Amino acid sequence: MSQGSMEGGGPSQPAPTITVQHLSDSPPGGQSSLAMDEVSPSSTSSFEMIDVESAPPTYQMVQPHWFYCRRADDKDSWLPFSLEDSGKLEESFANGGEAVVAVEGERYDVRVKERKRYAVYWEQAPSEVRRCTWFYKGDKDIKYLPYPEDFSSRLEDAYMIAVTLDEWKRKLEFPTGETVILHNPKLIMQYQPIALQEQWASTPSEQTRPRTVKRGVESIVVEIPEGEPEKIDHLVFMVHGIGPACDLRFRSIIQCVNDFRSASLSLLGSHYKRGQEEGLVGRVEFLPVNWHSALHGDATGVDEDIQKITLPSISRLRHFTNDTLLDLFFYNSPTYCQTIVDTVAAEVNRLHELFRQRHPGFTGEVSVAGHSLGSLILFDLLTNQRTEPGRAEKEEDPACDDPCPLACDALEQALIQLGLQEHLATLQREHLDMDSLALCQESDLKELGIPLGPRKKILTFIRRRCPMEDGRSGTVLLAPGLQAPSDDPSPSGNDHHGNPFLSATAQQQREYIRALSTTSAVDYEYFDVGIGQTNGNIAKGQVSINYPQLAFHPQTFFAFGSPIGMFLTVRGLKRIDPNYTFPTCKSFYNIYHPFDPVAYRIEPMIVSEDDLEPMLIPHHKGRKRMHLELKDSLTRMSTDLKNNVLGSLRTAWQSFTRLPAPALPPVEAGGTTEENVLSEGVHEEVESPMSGEEVEERQIKVGMLNGGRRIDYVLQEKPIESFNEYLFAIQSHLCYWESEDTALLLLKEIYDKLGVAFEQPLL
């Protein structure tokens, strides 16, 4: 077996034929002699020395554990499934492996017979899965790696014979040149063939070092993850910001959300342990929403168009700019802004529907979270949602499932959505429905006496809505790797991974979006941003697009490192009405790092107090960080010292300027001069500071955007970050995905509304 067949993660080779030879039969000076020298007590090779048991062991079948391959940075790493998932895979394997097994919180499906793992909610290349029993590690390897299943099977057969007959020091020679020597039950080594020594080793001294071989997952050092609770209490959709990478390690939104989910599971175990024991706490599911690939993919053709006008100099910097920073400009373009909001809303609705299909018993609430530009996209979507009072009745009425409602109702709904219901009678007089309206030109609407503004809105709505609905009607809500193959046998029906991701309808939708982005006239009409302003103070700025509706009412909106405040100000909004709330979402948290250069506050746009400090997010281990407590202590000490000095000077000045005794004010009945002076001092000390209730009341008067509670929440910087805030500015904008303090704030908001008590663990 070559190195590539063991490490590359590719398909395993056919089972090899091996030759078993006792080391006593080997000629002196051969490889077996070398092997015996390698395992002598004075050897300093990589494997550990283990005492051989005096009594011969009895053979017991090895316990397999299932692993999957993950490729990162052009390297393959093998990670174990949880004990629960591995048990389900082994059970399916014992029953023939025909069933599809849901693993990792049902975010992945494994086809056991194919040994493939498919992502359910997002597009991802299938990864290899192995039923692992034997492992190896060389001098340069950090972790033990699993052998292919056929190789492991041959090793297990030889091991069983050696244990049963109690005959060790056996040499297994494989046709590909590898040699495995079973010295004893605890000491098994693999030697590479001479021809492969140069591939395995970089120096001549390393060429004779063997690999250590281990049997069973219990004999190696590996961290097997704990299984996730089956019960899901809450669902959160997370929308990324500009660019395809979400952190300094250039990881995708999928990987970053995986880290955030892992942090939340760990915090649930430490801060909601009693709730878990009582069965009140399950877990929170976080799902990523990716819109960057739809904007920069073949659907719009924008990358190709931008590349034509990009200068050839400083190519890497220009590529970064085109792929990342231009997203801000795209969002201010009416054409691409429509593409972005359509993609985000459609992806959120698709994930929500797919989640409900896979979790039919889910009864929890749904929230949304956005980072950077993603938070602004969600903010604009939520400000343009409609409450629809009769929505619950419509969902219960089977007749509302009709994909072709009455034309009059569809037309009326469209005009209400556009705020043009006053023109309904005019269109009905001409017997116009949605289909016939789509055939009208601007001149036709002008002849009906419809003004210019409403004409533009109607035509824009029809142009953007109808083809998009045709493209969405054929969406199949299955895992990308498990979708039925397209009827089109051409290669265009499959993606570069060989999975049928794209149907013919999806391809038509991409062609439509591309045509729209290249042929649509730029419409720079502006309208109210809907922040509860009166007509005398209307904010302008959003481009005139059709904001799609979400399929659910979010419970809470979390914004990470958000530029919402800056964008609202640039759009002309000076103040948010304290009584304003999102139409369908009643809670809003603006979370930011103090050094984040992209983050802006929201509360100063609602309240006029300039000294209203943001709420400090507690450290997940409790209290403040030590350097912040020290900083506060020094500040208080300096303030107290200054007050004491000023108090001493004030007392001296009062003594110097005090009038003679006869000129003092008269003493009231029942009291003395000393008592009055003392009472006045006490009165000043009592009334000067604000009481705790007054401070709390002052803190919560920040409008109804978060139900009357505080909106701005600031993280605590780390000690090393406080030395140079400029040095950690970029990192501060990307820190939220791995921030346990941020994850704990989300969990507290979610479980407080479920009535589950929060527990601060003792350090």
Side-chain angles (χ1 to χ4, degrees):
M1 171 174 291
S2 64
Q3 181 188 17
S5 62
M6 294 180 190
E7 297 179 353
S12 56
Q13 299 178 352
T17 303
I18 62 174
T19 301
V20 180
Q21 180 181 1
H22 200 278
L23 290 183
S24 59
D25 300 334
S26 301
Q31 187 173 7
S32 60
S33 175
L34 173 62
M36 294 300 296
D37 293 338
E38 291 285 348
V39 300
S40 62
S42 60
S43 174
T44 58
S45 59
S46 63
F47 58 85
E48 62 272 15
M49 299 303 300
I50 303 176
D51 295 335
V52 181
E53 298 179 359
S54 57
T58 58
Y59 175 76
Q60 294 181 351
M61 186 175 296
V62 65
Q63 294 297 322
H65 194 93
W66 291 76
F67 283 66
Y68 64 92
C69 181
R70 184 176 68 184
R71 187 168 185 82
D73 299 331
D74 297 330
K75 294 182 179 179
D76 291 341
S77 59
W78 287 89
L79 304 176
F81 287 102
S82 66
L83 290 175
E84 180 182 357
D85 289 342
S86 182
K88 292 191 297 184
L89 293 172
E90 185 64 21
E91 181 180 357
S92 176
F93 171 79
N95 295 329
E98 297 293 340
V100 176
V101 180
V103 297
E104 299 179 70
E106 298 195 24
R107 294 182 299 275
Y108 289 89
D109 286 337
V110 174
R111 287 187 171 180
V112 178
K113 195 169 185 179
E114 297 179 5
R115 298 294 197 273
K116 293 294 183 181
R117 167 178 166 268
Y118 295 92
V120 172
Y121 295 103
W122 50 81
E123 294 186 3
Q124 182 177 331
S127 56
E128 184 184 354
V129 173
R130 280 185 189 173
R131 181 176 181 265
C132 304
T133 54
W134 286 77
F135 305 85
Y136 69 90
K137 186 179 76 169
D139 280 350
K140 300 298 182 180
D141 296 327
I142 301 176
K143 300 179 180 180
Y144 278 90
L145 303 176
Y147 281 113
E149 294 184 33
D150 53 0
F151 195 92
S152 298
S153 177
R154 297 299 175 179
L155 287 176
E156 184 65 20
D157 292 342
Y159 179 86
M160 179 184 64
I161 295 174
V163 171
T164 304
L165 301 179
D166 193 21
E167 295 181 356
W168 298 98
K169 298 183 180 179
R170 301 169 61 88
K171 180 169 65 174
L172 285 70
E173 294 182 346
F174 288 77
T176 51
E178 287 88 356
T179 301
V180 177
I181 300 179
L182 286 72
H183 296 285
N184 56 60
K186 300 291 182 68
L187 186 58
I188 304 174
M189 309 300 298
Q190 178 190 351
Y191 298 85
Q192 73 275 24
I194 302 300
L196 296 179
Q197 287 183 359
E198 295 182 359
Q199 300 179 15
W200 282 26
S202 58
T203 62
S205 60
E206 297 176 352
Q207 293 183 358
T208 58
R209 293 181 181 178
R211 286 176 168 177
T212 303
V213 181
K214 293 292 184 180
R215 177 178 180 266
V217 70
E218 65 277 359
S219 63
I220 65 174
V221 179
V222 60
E223 183 178 355
I224 298 178
E226 297 182 1
E228 300 180 14
E230 183 178 355
K231 176 188 173 185
I232 299 178
D233 303 320
H234 201 88
L235 173 63
V236 180
F237 296 110
M238 311 193 80
V239 183
H240 67 84
I242 61 174
C246 296
D247 63 0
L248 291 178
R249 288 180 282 176
F250 297 97
R251 297 185 303 168
S252 66
I253 178 65
I254 298 172
Q255 296 171 303
C256 290
V257 172
N258 286 343
D259 278 355
F260 198 90
R261 186 188 305 110
S262 299
S264 71
L265 287 173
S266 176
L267 291 170
L268 285 176
S270 58
H271 292 71
Y272 291 90
K273 187 175 182 180
R274 182 179 304 174
Q276 288 182 335
E277 295 173 351
E278 297 175 354
L280 301 177
V281 174
R283 65 183 177 92
V284 178
E285 181 61 278
F286 298 90
L287 294 180
V289 178
N290 185 2
W291 56 267
H292 183 270
S293 58
L295 176 64
H296 291 266
D298 296 334
T300 61
V302 63
D303 284 357
E304 181 181 350
D305 297 335
I306 292 294
Q307 187 60 36
K308 293 178 182 178
I309 59 176
T310 301
L311 300 182
S313 59
I314 52 174
S315 57
R316 293 185 179 180
L317 180 58
R318 295 186 190 277
H319 174 74
F320 172 80
T321 302
N322 294 345
D323 204 33
T324 303
L325 300 182
L326 286 187
D327 289 347
L328 292 172
F329 299 98
F330 287 145
Y331 190 68
N332 288 317
S333 162
T335 298
Y336 296 112
C337 181
Q338 185 70 62
T339 301
I340 293 173
V341 296
D342 281 343
T343 301
V344 171
E347 182 68 4
V348 168
N349 289 337
R350 182 190 72 84
L351 293 174
H352 180 259
E353 179 64 22
L354 182 55
F355 177 85
R356 297 302 295 262
Q357 290 181 6
R358 296 180 68 89
H359 301 273
F362 175 73
T363 58
E365 297 291 338
V366 184
S367 295
V368 293
H371 174 243
S372 189
L373 182 61
S375 64
L376 179 64
I377 298 171
L378 289 175
F379 184 89
D380 289 341
L381 277 172
L382 293 178
T383 56
N384 289 277
Q385 296 296 294
R386 298 187 304 274
T387 55
E388 297 184 9
R391 181 172 185 173
E393 291 78 8
K394 292 180 180 179
E395 291 179 352
E396 297 177 359
D397 186 5
C400 293
D401 294 335
D402 184 6
C404 298
L406 294 176
C408 181
D409 293 341
L411 178 60
E412 182 178 0
Q413 293 172 5
L415 293 179
I416 292 176
Q417 178 179 347
L418 296 173
L420 303 175
Q421 55 267 30
E422 66 271 14
H423 299 289
L424 177 62
T426 303
L427 298 177
Q428 287 180 339
R429 280 199 307 267
E430 301 296 330
H431 304 285
L432 289 174
D433 56 13
M434 292 297 294
D435 294 333
S436 56
L437 187 61
L439 301 175
C440 292
Q441 303 293 329
E442 183 177 359
S443 57
D444 300 327
L445 299 180
K446 184 177 182 181
E447 291 178 0
L448 296 178
I450 299 178
L452 175 62
R455 289 202 308 266
K456 291 290 187 181
K457 287 188 176 182
I458 292 174
L459 293 175
T460 301
F461 176 81
I462 293 296
R463 184 176 68 248
R464 299 185 187 279
R465 177 177 179 271
C466 295
M468 292 299 295
E469 285 190 348
D470 294 340
R472 292 171 186 153
S473 61
T475 303
V476 181
L477 299 174
L478 295 175
L482 302 179
Q483 291 185 13
S486 173
D487 295 335
D488 184 10
S490 63
S492 61
N494 296 335
D495 71 338
H496 61 282
H497 298 306
N499 296 322
F501 288 142
L502 300 178
S503 62
T505 305
Q507 186 65 25
Q508 294 174 359
Q509 180 177 349
R510 285 194 171 189
E511 293 176 357
Y512 161 74
I513 296 176
R514 182 181 179 90
L516 180 65
S517 64
T518 56
T519 62
S520 298
V522 177
D523 185 4
Y524 280 101
E525 295 179 359
Y526 294 94
F527 63 94
D528 302 353
V529 298
I531 314 295
Q533 301 301 307
T534 62
N535 292 332
N537 185 20
I538 295 178
K540 306 287 187 178
Q542 284 182 326
V543 291
S544 178
I545 64 172
N546 175 32
Y547 281 93
Q549 300 299 298
L550 298 178
F552 58 91
H553 289 180
Q555 183 185 73
T556 309
F557 169 33
F558 301 97
F560 304 154
S562 174
I564 291 175
M566 181 270 291
F567 269 84
L568 293 181
T569 303
V570 170
R571 290 171 180 175
L573 181 65
K574 297 182 179 298
R575 183 173 178 269
I576 298 177
D577 192 322
N579 296 321
Y580 175 77
T581 61
F582 295 119
T584 60
C585 181
K586 302 308 177 185
S587 298
F588 173 45
Y589 287 84
N590 182 38
I591 304 169
Y592 61 91
H593 191 283
F595 303 155
D596 188 340
V598 181
Y600 291 83
R601 293 192 61 185
I602 295 294
E603 291 175 347
M605 301 187 70
I606 304 175
V607 296
S608 57
E609 289 85 347
D610 295 333
D611 58 344
L612 182 60
E613 296 292 332
M615 292 292 291
L616 187 67
I617 300 177
H619 192 268
H620 65 280
K621 294 183 179 180
R623 302 183 62 181
K624 290 184 178 180
R625 294 182 183 270
M626 184 176 298
H627 71 287
L628 293 180
E629 289 189 347
L630 179 60
K631 181 179 178 181
D632 291 344
S633 299
L634 293 176
T635 302
R636 286 194 300 268
M637 185 174 63
S638 175
T639 303
D640 293 342
L641 181 61
K642 181 177 65 175
N643 292 338
N644 291 336
V645 172
L646 292 177
S648 300
L649 293 176
R650 186 182 299 109
T651 302
W653 176 256
Q654 290 176 353
S655 300
F656 179 74
T657 59
R658 182 172 299 170
L659 296 174
L664 289 175
V667 179
E668 297 180 359
T672 63
T673 303
E674 291 79 8
E675 291 175 349
N676 286 337
V677 173
L678 181 61
S679 64
E680 290 177 1
V682 173
H683 181 72
E684 291 178 358
E685 291 180 359
V686 171
E687 291 188 353
S688 56
M690 295 180 62
S691 64
E693 291 78 9
E694 291 175 341
V695 173
E696 181 67 19
E697 182 68 19
R698 180 171 178 265
Q699 288 179 346
I700 64 174
K701 289 183 178 180
V702 288
M704 298 304 296
L705 198 55
N706 192 24
R709 296 172 297 173
R710 296 296 303 272
I711 299 174
D712 293 335
Y713 285 78
V714 60
L715 292 167
Q716 302 180 38
E717 71 271 15
K718 298 178 181 178
I720 191 175
E721 295 174 344
S722 60
F723 286 107
N724 191 327
E725 56 191 48
Y726 293 95
L727 185 62
F728 295 94
I730 301 301
Q731 179 179 335
S732 299
H733 182 60
L734 305 173
C735 72
Y736 306 97
W737 304 111
E738 297 178 338
S739 171
E740 294 174 302
D741 299 346
T742 302
L744 185 57
L745 178 62
L746 266 67
L747 295 178
K748 290 175 64 176
E749 163 66 14
I750 291 171
Y751 284 101
D752 281 351
K753 293 185 176 180
L754 293 176
V756 181
F758 169 81
E759 310 167 37
Q760 184 62 51
L762 299 177
L763 300 180

